Amino acid sequence: MAATIVRSPKLSLSLPTPESTTSNLPSLNRSFFTPLPKRRRCISIYACTADDQSNSAFGGEIKKGQAIELNKVNDENPYEFNAKDSPNPLPRPLTSADLSNMAPEGSRLRVAYQGVRGAYSESAAEKAYPNCEAVPCEQFDTAFEAAERWLVDRAVLPIENSLGGSIHRNYDLLLRHRLHIVGEVKLAIRHCLLANNGVKIEDLKRVLSHPQALAQCENTLTKLGLVREAVDDTAGAAKYIAFSKLKDAGAVASLAASRIYGLNVLAQDIQDDSDNVTRFLMLAREPIIPRTDKPFKTSVVFSLDEGPGVLFKALAVFAMRNINLTKIESRPLQKQALKVLEDSVDGFPKYFPYLFYVDFEASMADQRAQNALGHLKEFATFLRVLGSYPSDSGIA
């Protein structure tokens, strides 16, 4: 039986699409930062929010079959902020219901992350922005919305893990929200086995953590003969163990979580593979000015018409200019898939249309990158630059 953490009621938010923020980039071709003209967009573009939880690292509840229209504008719903202070001395994670007109306090940079205190995402936020005020958010969506609504200055969210792969939920949210990638940070994930004071390893019967953390410690947990129970996030598991004063259960979480919640570290570095790194994106309301005096990455998303060799042609625009691709990810356009049923056999579509996310090693200030995207724009049905930002070559 999986342990659960009680959540505050959530509002379903429909956000207005902010105006373009590229007016301060005179040296760039601004068309790269906007979708193509309507004549090139034969269909409405949708981002699917449905996902398998095993592929959505670091938690978040996902409603099956839900899809969000990218350009939908709806500002009719008012939002109210519950100003009652939590009895818990630790900061309560923001929920969708908290997103109101509250103003940032003080002059420190406020950075949103998903999870509770002690989460790996909090460490990534502090690495990306030293001395910042890290603001915990209950869901990935909440962190995006907090940055978009000026409640925080930045958001730092995971996008991929070297063992668990891509965090699909955040790929979809990059299209739903008009935030720009302004940097990346890589964090080594080192798991610890935590328990309450006085509890020994031999006393444990079960262990709680995020599904990916449990999978990353498979060998160790199997040797200990522990029953695995999945919860929303690693730090949340530590918090639950501590607040419930459990004597037969432990948590797989960070060393920082053990200090925050007063838990003992029964074992350190229990992950099966030491090469366990998560890449986080740094998000802001406005893009940064691309440069060529340091290594830069650029992230784009595009869609293509169906046809033989179309994807090959799209990737060739980078290869022929000697631009290295570091990541390619495809995400289905769920609603659009229904439009091809008329030409299907036995009710199944001939093909499923996709969005393609690509990261490449070049700055948008580099003429090669602008030429490559200009070439891609000739046959892509949709193209958007998500950000051009400094590469992170260090791991902490």
Side-chain angles (χ1 to χ4, degrees), residues 51-58 62 140 158-172 210 212 277-279 326-331 357 359:
D51 199 3
D52 188 295
Q53 187 173 354
S54 63
N55 286 331
S56 296
F58 298 87
I62 297 167
F140 290 134
I159 197 66
E160 62 177 325
N161 176 266
S162 58
L163 301 180
S166 300
I167 293 111
H168 294 154
R169 177 64 172 158
N170 284 337
Y171 273 105
D172 294 338
H210 185 273
Q212 283 211 5
V277 178
T278 297
R279 175 175 168 245
T326 59
K327 173 76 173 177
I328 180 168
E329 181 73 34
S330 61
R331 296 292 297 139
Y357 293 80
D359 297 340

Side-chain angles (χ1 to χ4, degrees), residues 350-369:
K350 287 183 177 180
Y351 63 89
F352 291 95
Y354 283 88
L355 286 170
F356 297 96
Y357 293 80
V358 169
D359 297 340
F360 59 86
E361 292 180 328
S363 167
M364 278 301 297
D366 188 334
Q367 191 63 46
R368 296 178 306 149

Side-chain angles (χ1 to χ4, degrees), residues 29-34 364 369-370 373-374 377 383-385:
N29 185 337
R30 295 177 191 169
S31 64
F32 293 144
F33 288 83
T34 59
M364 278 301 297
Q370 294 201 29
L373 294 190
K377 189 178 176 182
L383 173 62
R384 178 177 162 191
V385 173

